[in-house]
Amino acid sequence: AARCALQEDQTFAVTWPSSDGKRYTLYRSTALNEGFQLIETDLAATPPQNVFVDRAAGDGPAFYQVEVH
């Protein structure tokens, strides 16, 4: 399961378990009923865990989806 944490610099760090040979696509939404927008694609696995710092999240809530390839 992915986790998201607000950092001291007001960015979000999204972490999830990763596996060798996998690639990931990350999506963000500010409201679950509004759908998700693509924010990063073709992220390489960095086992045992990937970390993505979302510097463009802005103020307010953020929800993330991680897609495995």
Side-chain angles (χ1 to χ4, degrees), residues 1-5 12-26 40-54 66-69:
R3 294 180 181 246
C4 182
F12 285 103
V14 183
T15 61
W16 64 93
S18 65
S19 300
D20 284 325
K22 300 293 183 184
R23 312 242 6 130
Y24 303 92
T25 300
L26 194 60
E40 194 69 40
T41 188
D42 203 33
L43 294 165
T46 56
Q49 173 175 280
N50 272 48
V51 177
F52 178 82
V53 177
D54 188 0
V66 178
E67 184 176 271
V68 182
H69 304 278

Side-chain angles (χ1 to χ4, degrees), residues 20-38:
D20 284 325
K22 300 293 183 184
R23 312 242 6 130
Y24 303 92
T25 300
L26 194 60
Y27 300 87
R28 176 189 343 106
S29 178
T30 56
L32 292 176
N33 62 347
E34 293 181 10
F36 285 80
Q37 300 293 318
L38 174 68

